[in-house]
Amino acid sequence: MKTVVAIAFVLIIGSLASALFFLMRDKGRSNRTVQALAMRVGLSITLFLFVLFAYKMGWIQPKGLH
C-alpha cells in the first residue's frame, strides 16, 4: 500500500514539474500547461478516492498519534 501511494505522489509531482516546464517553454501559447495541471488534479482526486476505498476495505488502518 505504501508503494502505491508513493508512486502516486511521484506521478503528481512529475505532472506538476511538467506543467512548470511547459509554462516556461511555451510562454502561454499552448494549452499543455493546463492539460498537465488537469492531469495533476485528476491524479490527486484518484489518490484520495483510492485511500478512502482502501480504508473502507480494511486494507489500511488509522494508527493515531501517540
Side-chain angles (χ1 to χ4, degrees), residues 44-59:
S44 298
I45 291 171
T46 302
L47 176 62
F48 179 74
L49 292 175
F50 177 73
V51 168
L52 282 178
F53 178 73
Y55 174 72
K56 292 289 185 185
M57 295 297 292
W59 299 339

Side-chain angles (χ1 to χ4, degrees), residues 12-42:
I12 290 167
I13 297 299
S15 176
L16 188 60
S18 69
L20 177 64
F21 175 76
F22 292 142
L23 180 66
M24 293 298 174
R25 187 166 176 91
D26 293 344
K27 306 262 193 263
R29 291 187 300 265
S30 74
N31 64 347
R32 294 193 298 180
T33 302
V34 174
Q35 290 174 347
L37 289 174
M39 179 190 253
R40 183 189 66 85
V41 170

